[in-house]
């Protein structure tokens, strides 16, 4: 135990299952949790939609809400939940010294404008000219800001006054891994005392699905758990809208302000396997072994996306790298891309704090585990690239 | 034996390799020659038609094989070229860098040419939302997928250069390049790595990007004389000039650099940052976040206000930035500011966005090694409310030992770097 241990003192979670840490614990700790699905709006693709959210609870100014599209609103909202949960929402001194790393993709494009351009383009040879005509007249000027990756962090600064620093990492699941890893490493090294870290993904937009389907990655038939999706039903990924933000602090900083921690983040390992060489399973095993996990059977909160190759490799790796009770939470939340790793860490920490493991989310493929977890594994293996794993331990 | 740890006992971080590409050309030598002779790389846009556009000029990089292949391909090629120069210049194996990669690059989206191509194959009997999706699943392509994946460029670079671990791709808007350097410096200071490769690259000057900035009234519309449009700190400045470019820096602990007998070009002595909570595109009127970022960089470097010899300004040539930058600098440095040289590379290369912080860090290092301060060109009508020695129009020979390089961006991003000569 050290003064610079990294402890989790707040979390803000949103998914199709609801909002808040408590709500997620209630739903996921009850046996037989059922997914919330939207099957029609993007058929043949199923998505896990956002729950109903009263944005003004975390983004009081209408003007701020209007400046954002759903993705930024979702992230800003979840960040607010995390700050509330950590009890620092109103503490200007702490907020102004707080570091921030957001794992971000991009914001939503204007589908009406894009569709009009595509339709007009069918009968035009001068498509570049068409772009100039349409984009100069039909784009809403402020939409650009709602699309910019770093403006999720920008909005969190504006709405919640987190201003110590603001960094945005990009790169799908790996961005979430690097965000947690970097924030934790900085705290451990004394470069930072407290940090807000997390991400959001809003899947209910055709471009956000296209970002997967350009690689044929989406599952197209009826919902199944991440471990059961067959290759002839598409690429295996079912996406979900959601967000996860964590407040990380040094142990000393948390103790000084009398805050209780959910759990601590032990080692974080990240990697970039050269998957083309076929070594992903070995690479994931290597990451997991490097965490120095306790030898007994361990809860493993897996961020597996369902993408066939990556999910299969993770499953084989975890079958041999230790004794793990897998819990593939994307079966119930959908894949939340940049938010996947922070979400996995949050669920691991919740189980430790609540002194109980989750029942299997898919009893056919996930084994039992008993007793209050003192440690849990959290993983996010990218559907296409980058891998990460962390050991979350009792604080 | 000279010190290899800094005032806080951390490893000193040296720069042992640099590489750069801008509209002025490819490579350090060509860029430096052009920059110090006051040449502009800004010209009329030829990459796409300019009808209907308010701004028809840019500092695009049009001389590379990927120049007409879309933002993702060009950003990669720019990054690769700059990194090849930096890594080989540092005397390291370009295929086995063996340190982490920090890349500053723009967010990428499916390009319009790919969108049209997919739509040409679309089944129009499907509902609107599904047409591109169905066309994509019937014609999946890894290259097109990767052009939309934010981690794709860094992944390729990591393969190319044999960097270690999961590469970080960072976006802090127009401060991204500086943040990438900061991430590398921090990793070395933590002892995680002996060296890191920091790259800023931006090849995203598409019609849509130009229109987006234009709709926010951020761009100069002084199209008639392109090379004169970027005029930081001038009274008649009216916006920045969109540009492309890249720069790479090999960052290395001074211990490691000396142990292998590498040439030390300079050190990154301090990094500072502070977010602004005022507005999405405008700075807090009192300049306090930028002031805090400058002060944080000085403190991190262990320098007082009199410790800086020269400022490599963010100097975008927008009415707002240059006013606020002057306010911040004069607040921190006081009366001294009137005499301390401050120049803006953007007067010649335009605003290279995600790359700018890295490009300007490379030029800051060269300012010290060459003993020459590049000018701020197009300084014909000084803004009387901005009292600065902007090194007007002509380079100046000067012994510069320390440089402050500023980077500010939309979304309240403020990042500052202090660079210095190798400690004796």
């Amino acid at each position: 135990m050290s003064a610079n241990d990294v402890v989790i003192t707040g979390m803000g979670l949103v998914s199709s299952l609801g909002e808040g840490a408590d709500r997620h614990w209630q739903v996921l700790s009850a046996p037989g949790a059922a997914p919330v699905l939207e099957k029609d709006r993007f058929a043949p693709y199923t998505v896990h939609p956002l729950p109903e959210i009263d944005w003004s609870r975390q983004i009081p100014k209408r003007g701020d809400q209007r400046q954002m599209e759903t993705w930024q609103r979702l992230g800003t909202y979840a960040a607010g939940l995390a700050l509330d949960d950590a009890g620092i929402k109103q503490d200007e001194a702490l907020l102004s010294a707080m570091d921030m790393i957001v794992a971000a993709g991009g914001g939503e494009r204007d589908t009406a404008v894009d569709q009009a351009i595509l339709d007009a383009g069918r009968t035009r040879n001068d498509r570049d000219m068409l772009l100039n005509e349409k984009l100069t007249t039909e784009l809403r000027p402020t939409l650009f800001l709602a699309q910019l990756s770093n403006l999720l962090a920008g909005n969190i600064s504006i709405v919640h006054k987190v201003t110590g620093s603001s960094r945005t990492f990009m790169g799908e699941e790996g961005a979430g891994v690097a965000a947690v890893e970097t924030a934790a490493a900085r705290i451990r090294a004394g470069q930072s005392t407290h940090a807000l870290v997390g991400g959001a993904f809003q899947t209910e937009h055709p471009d956000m699905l296209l970002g997967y389907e350009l690689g044929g990655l989406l599952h197209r038939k009826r919902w199944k758990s991440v471990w059961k999706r067959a290759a002839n039903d598409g690429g295996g990924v079912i996406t979900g809208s959601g967000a996860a933000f964590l407040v990380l602090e040094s142990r000393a900083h948390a103790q000084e302000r009398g805050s209780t921690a959910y759990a601590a983040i032990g080692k974080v390992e990240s990697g970039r396997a050269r998957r083309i060489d076929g070594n992903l399973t070995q690479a994931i095993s290597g990451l997991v072994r490097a965490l120095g996990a306790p030898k007994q059977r361990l809860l493993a909160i897996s961020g597996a996306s369902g993408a066939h190759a990556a999910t299969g490799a993770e499953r084989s790796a975890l079958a041999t790298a230790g004794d793990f009770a897998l819990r593939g939470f994307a079966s119930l939340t959908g894949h939340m891309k940049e938010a996947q790793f922070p979400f996995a860490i949050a669920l691991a920490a919740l189980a430790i704090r609540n002194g109980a493991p989750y029942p299997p989310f898919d009893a056919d493929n996930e084994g039992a585990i008993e007793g209050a977890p003192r440690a849990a594994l959290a993983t996010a293996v990218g559907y296409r690239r980058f891998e990460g794993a962390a050991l979350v331990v009792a604080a | 034996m000279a010190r290899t740890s800094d005032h806080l006992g951390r490893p000193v971080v040296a720069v042992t390799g640099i590489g750069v590409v801008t509209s002025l050309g490819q490579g350090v030598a060509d860029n430096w020659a052009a920059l110090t002779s006051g040449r502009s790389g800004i010209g009329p846009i030829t990459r796409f038609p300019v009808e209907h556009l308010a701004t028809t000029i840019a500092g695009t990089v049009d001389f590379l094989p990927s120049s007409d292949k879309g933002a993702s391909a060009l950003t990669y090629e720019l990054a690769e070229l700059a990194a090849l120069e930096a890594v080989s210049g540092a005397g390291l194996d370009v295929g086995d860098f063996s340190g982490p990669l920090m890349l500053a690059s723009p967010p990428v989206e499916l390009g319009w040419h790919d969108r049209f191509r997919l739509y040409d194959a679309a089944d129009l009997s499907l509902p609107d939302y599904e047409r591109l999706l169905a066309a994509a699943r019937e014609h999946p392509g890894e290259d097109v997928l990767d052009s939309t994946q934010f981690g794709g460029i860094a992944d390729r670079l990591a393969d190319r250069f044999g960097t270690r671990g999961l590469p970080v791709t960072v976006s802090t808007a127009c401060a991204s390049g500086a943040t990438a350097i900061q991430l590398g410096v921090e990793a070395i200071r933590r002892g995680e790595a002996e060296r890191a490769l920091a790259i800023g690259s931006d090849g995203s000057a598409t019609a849509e990007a130009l229109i987006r900035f234009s709709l926010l009234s951020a761009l100069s519309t002084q199209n008639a004389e392109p090379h004169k449009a970027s005029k930081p700190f001038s009274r008649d400045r009216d916006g920045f000039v969109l540009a492309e470019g890249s720069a790479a820096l090999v960052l290395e602990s001074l211990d490691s650099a000396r142990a292998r007998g590498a040439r030390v070009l300079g050190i990154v002595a301090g990094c500072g940052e502070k977010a602004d909570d005022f507005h999405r595109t405008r700075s807090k009127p009192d300049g306090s976040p930028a002031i805090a970022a400058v002060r944080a960089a000085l403190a991190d470097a262990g320098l007082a206000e009199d410790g800086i010899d020269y400022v490599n300004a963010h100097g975008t040539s927008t009415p707002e930035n240059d006013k606020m930058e002057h306010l911040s600098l004069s607040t921190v440095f006081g009366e001294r500011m009137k005499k301390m040289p401050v120049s803006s590379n953007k007067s010649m290369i335009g605003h290279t966005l995600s790359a700018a912080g890295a490009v300007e860090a490379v030029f800051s290092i060269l300012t010290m090694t060459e003993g020459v301060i590049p000018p701020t060109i197009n300084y014909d009508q000084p803004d009387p409310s901005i009292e600065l020695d902007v090194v007007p129009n002509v380079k100046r020979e000067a012994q510069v030992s320390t440089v402050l390089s500023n980077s500010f961006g939309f979304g309240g991003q403020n990042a500052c770097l202090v660079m210095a000569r190798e400690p004796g």
Side-chain angles (χ1 to χ4, degrees):
Chain A
M1 204 179 279
S2 136
N4 281 355
D5 285 345
V6 181
V7 297
I8 302 167
T9 57
M11 61 176 75
L13 301 179
V14 179
S15 77
S16 57
L17 303 173
E19 67 173 73
D22 290 346
R23 167 77 187 164
H24 280 85
W25 174 251
Q26 283 161 19
V27 173
L28 293 173
S29 62
V36 178
L37 303 173
E38 166 60 64
K39 299 173 195 166
D40 301 326
R41 201 146 46 102
F42 298 100
Y45 309 104
T46 296
V47 301
H48 299 259
L50 275 186
E52 199 165 317
I53 295 174
D54 176 3
W55 300 113
S56 58
R57 291 179 54 203
Q58 289 295 342
I59 311 172
K61 290 186 188 159
R62 290 265 160 201
D64 284 334
Q65 291 182 33
R66 272 198 303 273
Q67 291 289 323
M68 305 180 225
E69 295 293 315
T70 305
W71 167 63
Q72 289 178 358
R73 263 183 233 130
L74 174 59
T76 304
Y77 188 90
L81 290 178
L83 296 170
D84 258 342
D85 192 40
I88 58 178
K89 186 77 172 297
Q90 311 302 334
D91 191 328
E92 275 182 40
L94 279 179
L95 294 170
S96 71
M98 186 175 212
D99 292 307
M100 168 164 51
I101 307 182
V102 174
E108 298 91 335
R109 296 178 61 87
D110 186 328
T111 47
V113 173
D114 286 355
Q115 190 60 48
I117 293 171
L118 289 173
D119 286 333
R122 294 189 77 93
T123 54
R124 295 267 298 255
N125 289 322
D126 56 344
R127 287 171 168 177
D128 283 342
M129 193 76 82
L130 170 72
L131 282 180
N132 289 4
E133 280 170 33
K134 295 275 191 189
L135 293 173
T136 49
T137 53
E138 298 189 15
L139 275 186
R140 187 157 51 84
T142 54
L143 184 68
F144 181 25
L145 300 172
Q147 293 171 323
L148 272 179
S149 301
N150 75 302
L151 262 286
L152 170 49
N155 278 294
I156 292 171
S157 291
I158 290 169
V159 174
H160 303 308
K161 309 297 167 196
V162 176
T163 59
S165 66
S166 166
R167 301 176 184 178
T168 295
F169 287 2
M170 305 190 300
E172 295 74 40
E173 299 97 323
V177 172
V180 171
E181 184 177 32
T182 303
R186 294 188 77 223
I187 289 172
R188 222 166 258 136
Q191 292 172 336
S192 170
T193 53
H194 58 302
L196 177 68
V197 56
F201 182 61
Q202 200 293 88
T203 195
E204 295 155 72
H205 186 290
D207 280 332
M208 297 303 161
L209 296 173
L210 191 59
Y212 293 85
E213 200 61 333
L214 287 168
L217 288 161
L218 293 177
H219 179 79
R220 296 197 289 278
K221 299 289 168 59
R222 71 182 178 82
W223 175 90
K224 289 176 183 162
S225 95
V226 286
W227 312 116
K228 283 185 182 157
R229 295 171 195 164
N232 55 4
D233 292 347
V237 179
I238 294 177
T239 60
S241 295
F245 274 83
L246 305 168
V247 173
L248 305 183
E249 295 184 66
S250 70
R251 185 185 296 281
H253 191 268
Q255 277 172 352
E256 197 173 315
R257 65 183 195 90
S259 143
T260 24
Y262 283 93
I265 297 184
K267 278 190 101 172
V268 183
E269 290 288 329
S270 66
R272 187 191 74 87
R274 274 181 51 88
R275 298 188 183 187
I276 198 167
D277 299 340
N279 65 357
L280 183 56
T281 303
Q282 272 176 302
I284 298 169
S285 300
L287 286 187
V288 171
R289 290 182 202 279
L291 294 173
K295 294 284 173 243
Q296 68 268 33
R297 184 162 171 80
L298 215 58
L299 182 66
I301 306 297
S302 164
S305 62
H308 301 305
T311 299
E314 179 174 349
R315 196 172 181 181
S316 335
L318 293 183
T320 56
D323 180 13
F324 294 109
L326 273 181
R327 296 294 180 266
F329 66 89
S331 295
L332 295 172
T333 61
H335 185 246
M336 297 173 286
K337 228 177 205 178
E338 289 84 6
Q340 200 71 353
F341 193 60
F343 212 105
I345 300 237
L347 293 186
L350 266 180
I352 291 168
R353 163 88 153 246
N354 285 294
Y358 299 97
F361 303 143
D362 168 1
D364 297 338
N365 290 280
E366 299 176 345
I369 184 169
E370 303 296 331
R374 298 285 298 162
L377 175 73
T379 70
V381 173
Y383 55 83
R384 176 142 176 81
R385 55 171 59 85
F386 305 153
E387 307 82 43
L391 191 67
V392 181
V393 297
Chain B
M1 181 62 194
R3 293 192 317 161
T4 53
S5 56
D6 70 5
H7 64 115
L8 296 174
R10 306 170 299 191
V12 170
V13 178
V15 178
T16 56
I18 52 176
V20 67
V21 185
T22 71
S23 55
L24 290 171
Q26 183 186 329
V28 165
D30 284 1
N31 270 280
W32 189 245
L35 204 71
T36 50
S37 57
R39 203 163 83 222
S40 169
I42 311 304
I45 292 169
T46 56
R47 187 177 295 167
F48 47 83
V50 295
E51 281 80 357
H52 308 286
L53 304 182
T55 292
T56 62
I57 56 171
T60 46
V61 173
D62 290 320
F63 51 79
L64 297 179
S66 305
S67 291
D68 59 354
K69 302 279 191 299
S72 198
L74 181 54
T75 299
Y76 172 80
E77 186 174 16
L78 284 165
E80 182 186 29
L81 291 172
L84 275 173
E85 184 178 27
V87 176
S88 59
L92 296 167
D93 181 344
V94 294
D96 185 20
F97 181 78
S98 299
L101 168 64
M102 280 78 182
L103 172 70
S105 68
V108 288
E109 293 182 318
L110 185 64
W112 270 108
H113 292 169
D114 285 325
R115 254 175 217 275
F116 280 128
R117 189 184 47 73
L118 271 180
Y119 203 64
D120 285 339
D123 174 355
L124 297 186
S125 69
L126 294 171
D128 285 354
Y129 77 84
E130 205 197 336
R131 292 177 187 172
L132 291 181
L133 285 163
R137 71 175 174 250
E138 274 144 37
H139 312 275
E142 298 213 334
D143 290 351
V144 184
L145 172 68
D146 271 348
S147 75
T148 69
Q149 302 293 293
F150 285 17
I153 295 171
D155 197 14
R156 281 181 70 193
L157 290 168
D159 266 340
R160 174 70 182 84
F161 292 98
T163 59
R164 204 177 67 201
L166 195 167
V168 172
T169 303
V170 67
S171 177
T172 51
C174 305
S176 303
T179 308
I181 293 168
Q182 180 176 24
L183 287 165
V185 168
E186 287 179 351
I188 293 168
R189 284 176 175 173
R190 287 194 296 266
E192 284 171 15
E194 283 297 323
R195 55 175 170 265
L197 180 56
I199 306 177
S201 183
D202 201 316
S204 70
T206 61
E208 184 163 2
L210 183 108
I211 290 165
R212 285 168 168 181
F213 280 113
S214 193
L215 289 171
L216 291 173
S217 307
L219 300 181
S220 172
T221 56
Q222 296 180 10
N223 300 316
E225 288 184 283
H227 61 287
K228 291 199 162 253
S230 185
K231 46 185 72 169
F233 308 114
S234 291
R235 189 169 55 191
D236 54 343
R237 69 186 186 275
D238 72 332
F240 73 79
V241 174
L242 188 72
E244 295 173 326
S246 64
L249 295 91
V250 173
L251 306 171
E252 187 167 2
S253 74
L254 188 55
D255 274 332
S256 158
R258 285 181 175 165
R260 65 183 188 88
R263 184 182 169 211
V264 173
L265 303 170
I267 65 166
V268 185
C271 312
E273 61 195 324
K274 178 72 184 170
D276 193 332
D277 59 8
F278 179 67
H279 187 271
R280 287 158 190 84
T281 58
R282 281 184 287 131
S283 319
K284 199 171 272 189
D286 65 4
S288 54
I291 292 165
V294 173
R295 287 191 170 137
L298 291 175
D300 194 48
L303 293 175
E305 286 75 17
D306 60 359
I308 299 294
D309 291 343
Y310 158 69
V311 179
N312 185 306
H314 188 54
T316 57
S317 189
T318 62
E320 161 98 0
N321 175 78
D322 297 2
K323 183 180 77 176
M324 292 307 300
E325 190 164 15
H326 169 251
L327 171 66
S328 324
L329 290 172
S330 49
T331 305
V332 174
F333 296 101
E335 281 299 301
R336 230 188 121 233
M337 205 56 232
K338 291 177 188 162
K339 298 211 177 86
M340 182 157 51
V342 179
S343 68
S344 169
N345 306 149
K346 293 188 182 76
S347 62
M348 293 170 277
I349 61 171
H351 192 346
T352 57
L353 305 176
S354 297
V359 169
E360 288 156 25
V362 164
F363 292 149
S364 297
I365 294 286
L366 288 167
T367 299
M368 291 186 285
T369 58
E370 304 304 306
V372 175
I373 301 177
T376 302
I377 67 165
N378 301 321
Y379 193 69
D380 301 325
Q381 298 187 52
D383 181 337
S385 67
I386 297 180
E387 226 181 316
L388 289 174
D389 170 7
V390 303
V391 192
N393 303 320
V394 191
K395 71 176 178 188
R396 184 183 304 163
E397 292 191 4
Q399 291 308 303
V400 175
S401 299
T402 48
V403 181
L404 169 71
S405 176
N406 288 338
S407 295
F408 309 127
F410 283 174
Q413 309 280 179
N414 300 285
C416 300
L417 302 174
V418 172
M419 284 159 279
R421 293 192 190 192
E422 180 180 3

